[in-house]
Amino acid sequence: MEEVREYRALFAVDIVGSSGRGDVALEQIRQVLSAALHASFTRGGVDWDDCLRHDLGDGMRVVAPAGTPETSLIHPLVHEVTERLRAHNLLAGKPTRIRLRMALHAGSVQVGRDGTVSGRPLEVLARLLDAEPVRAALAQAPDATTALLVSEHFHETAVCQGRPGIDPAAFRRVDVREKEFTGSAWLHVPAYGGAPQATGSVPDRTASDSDHTASDSDHTASNSDRTASAPDRTAPDAEAPAGNTKVISKASGHGVIYALGNGTMNIGGKNGKK
C-alpha cells in the first residue's frame, strides 16, 4: 500500500480518571468529548471530517489536515475545548464530569491511503500525553478542567511567535522523562476562573486592626471625657423651690424621665408622645 510522508500537526487528549466509572458513564463521556472536539476544531477553521482520528478508548488522537496552521491548534482550539467541557461539568454529575490532559506536537509522518498514520512524532505525542508534569498539574489544580503539554518543537513554531490569543508567558518549561523519551516540553493550564493566587506577601491586617481598635479606644475615652464634663442633672436644682425639687434621670431610649417632688411623674417619649 502506497504511503506518503507529510508534515502534520498532531493533537491528543486523554480523560483523567475514566476507569471505574462504568460503561454507561464512559459512553456518555466519550460522546461529550467527541462533540466538544468536533465543535472546537470547526470553530478554529479546521475541517473535522478532514482530520485523521484515532480512538484511544478514553481519549482521542487527531492528525490535522496537511497545511493546517499550528497556531490554530493552540488558539482558539485549546480555549474552545476547555470552555465547552467546563460548561458540561457545571451541569454534569460526578460520574460524567470530564477533566482532560492534552498534548501537541508536529512532524513528518507516514500517511496511508486508508488513513493510517505512523512515525516517530506519534510516539513523542503519546509520551507527552502521559508525562508526569501534565498529570501533576491537574492533580495540583483540582478546579482546572484541562492541562496542555506541547513539545519543544511545537512551542518554537506556534507559541513563541506571540500571535493574537497566544501568550507565551502562560507556558512553563518542564522536563519530561517518559519511557524512552527524554526532553523538554512546555506546560499550560488554562485559567479556570478561580480566585487569583497572591504573588506577593499578604497584607498585615493585624496592625491595621490594632490601629482601628486604638482609634475606637480614643473615641470611647473622648466620649467619657464629654460625659464627665457634662452637668450632673441628677443633683437637686439649687434654684428650685423647697418641696418641689426636680430630679431628672437619663434614659437610654429617646425620651427623658423626670419626676417632681410633689409626686407627679412624667415620661416624655419621641416626638413628645407618652
Side-chain angles (χ1 to χ4, degrees), residues 74-216:
I74 296 283
H75 178 77
L77 180 63
V78 170
H79 172 78
E80 288 289 329
V81 172
T82 301
E83 289 304 311
R84 291 175 191 279
L85 294 184
R86 185 177 294 154
H88 161 76
N89 289 344
L90 288 175
L91 301 177
K94 185 176 181 179
T96 56
R97 289 176 188 158
I98 302 175
R99 303 180 75 215
L100 210 61
R101 298 195 312 275
M102 303 184 290
L104 277 168
H105 185 42
S108 180
V109 295
Q110 292 178 328
V111 181
R113 285 188 175 182
D114 61 351
T116 58
V117 183
S118 60
R120 172 64 178 168
L122 295 181
E123 296 177 7
V124 174
L125 182 71
R127 301 300 174 256
L128 293 175
L129 188 62
D130 290 335
E132 177 60 25
V134 71
R135 291 178 179 274
L138 284 175
Q140 294 168 8
D143 292 333
T145 303
T146 62
L148 169 70
L149 197 62
V150 304
S151 66
E152 186 77 54
H153 168 69
F154 202 95
H155 182 266
E156 291 176 359
T157 58
V159 177
C160 288
Q161 312 306 319
R163 301 290 177 84
I166 303 176
D167 181 12
F171 290 75
R172 177 170 60 89
R173 190 172 188 172
V174 296
D175 293 327
V176 177
R177 294 178 178 85
E178 191 69 25
K179 295 185 177 179
E180 79 289 349
F181 177 81
T182 300
S184 298
W186 293 80
L187 177 68
H188 171 57
V189 180
Y192 45 93
Q197 297 298 316
T199 55
S201 60
V202 178
D204 185 0
R205 296 188 61 84
T206 305
S208 176
D209 292 342
S210 299
D211 293 342
H212 182 70
T213 303
S215 176
D216 288 345

Side-chain angles (χ1 to χ4, degrees), residues 16-40:
V16 176
S18 60
S19 61
R21 301 199 199 189
D23 292 343
V24 174
L26 183 57
E27 182 58 30
Q28 292 180 8
I29 289 172
R30 285 161 52 86
Q31 291 176 3
V32 170
L33 176 59
S34 180
L37 292 175
H38 186 174
S40 299

